[in-house]
């Protein structure tokens, strides 16, 4: 991914909708002055990074900068523009809607956390596992590490503990990326 200042020169993000648009790009981004005029005349102000990967894949596109091509995912660019820092981990959509690139919907998480939150297709309530003695236990995975939440009498109690831990984890991530987190 190019540096944040380059992304800010290339893209405009509508915070209310999460949609990206091309800006008028400086001549320094292009090999020739003519290339800059052609690109800016055709694309400035139009939607950017809006191609789809498959039927429900993330939106993406390319950015050519002085002859170097970058393949960009729209939600990663939106996250960088919204938070002022390039993501270091993967970025996921909390509600699963890959077109909703809004600050409260984008969460930076380790790949393992994303895979776990996507959910396995298994019966029962998430986070509740039966022991051999008939009780239930619960855990949550954070940054690839399993955190034990305890043993419970019912699967509902184990699931509730998992939900509470997950909500606390997501609140921590949201607070960390909030622009007012340190004021």
């Amino acid at each position: 991914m190019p540096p944040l200042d380059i992304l800010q020169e290339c893209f405009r993000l509508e915070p209310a909708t999460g949609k990206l648009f091309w800006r008028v790009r400086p001549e320094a981004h292009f090999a020739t002055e003519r290339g800059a005029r052609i690109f800016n005349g055709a694309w400035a102000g139009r939607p950017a990074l809006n191609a789809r990967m498959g039927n429900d894949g993330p939106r993406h596109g390319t950015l050519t900068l002085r002859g170097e091509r970058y393949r960009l995912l729209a939600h990663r660019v939106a996250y960088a523009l919204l938070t002022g820092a390039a993501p270091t981990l993967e970025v996921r959509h909390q509600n699963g809607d890959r077109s909703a690139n809004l600050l409260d919907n984008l969460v930076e998480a380790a790949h393992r956390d994303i895979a776990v939150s996507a959910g396995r297709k298994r019966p029962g309530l998430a986070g509740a596992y039966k022991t051999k003695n008939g009780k239930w236990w619960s855990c949550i995975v954070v940054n690839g590490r399993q955190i034990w939440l305890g043993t419970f009498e019912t699967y509902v109690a184990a699931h509730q503990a998992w939900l509470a831990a997950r909500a606390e984890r997501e609140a921590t991530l949201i607070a960390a990326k909030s622009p007012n987190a340190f004021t």
Side-chain angles (χ1 to χ4, degrees):
M1 183 179 285
L4 180 63
D5 59 329
I6 298 292
L7 294 177
Q8 292 169 335
E9 290 176 351
C10 294
F11 303 105
R12 176 179 57 85
L13 177 73
E14 285 186 351
T17 64
K19 293 186 181 189
L20 292 165
F21 295 90
W22 289 107
R23 290 185 184 271
V24 175
R25 293 174 54 199
E27 283 183 31
H29 288 198
F30 300 91
T32 65
E33 180 184 330
R34 182 175 183 265
R37 274 197 325 268
I38 290 171
F39 179 88
N40 288 327
W43 294 102
R46 296 189 61 191
L49 307 180
N50 60 350
R52 295 291 297 248
M53 289 182 182
N55 291 337
D56 63 345
R59 298 198 181 273
H60 72 285
T62 58
L63 169 66
T64 304
L65 186 63
R66 293 183 284 275
E68 188 173 348
R69 290 186 88 156
Y70 295 93
R71 185 170 179 188
L72 301 173
L73 295 172
H75 62 284
R76 291 182 64 81
V77 171
Y79 182 87
L81 293 174
L82 288 166
T83 62
T88 55
L89 301 172
E90 292 190 30
V91 176
R92 73 174 177 96
H93 295 86
Q94 285 191 40
N95 67 2
D97 180 3
R98 292 183 172 179
S99 64
N101 294 327
L102 306 170
L103 181 60
D104 59 347
N105 190 35
L106 296 175
V107 175
E108 193 173 10
H111 178 71
R112 292 178 183 153
D113 292 344
I114 292 172
V116 168
S117 68
R120 295 176 293 214
K121 303 294 184 217
R122 63 175 171 79
L125 299 174
Y129 304 92
K130 194 167 189 172
T131 64
K132 290 181 180 179
N133 67 2
K135 293 190 178 191
W136 295 84
W137 64 276
S138 185
C139 71
I140 189 167
V141 177
V142 176
N143 294 331
R145 296 187 60 152
Q146 186 174 340
I147 298 173
W148 178 262
L149 300 176
T151 305
F152 305 91
E153 294 295 323
T154 66
Y155 69 92
V156 174
H159 174 67
Q160 292 297 330
W162 180 83
L163 286 175
R166 181 176 170 195
E168 180 180 324
R169 167 80 172 139
E170 300 229 346
T172 302
L173 287 172
I174 289 170
K177 74 175 181 179
S178 171
N180 298 326
F182 300 107
T183 57

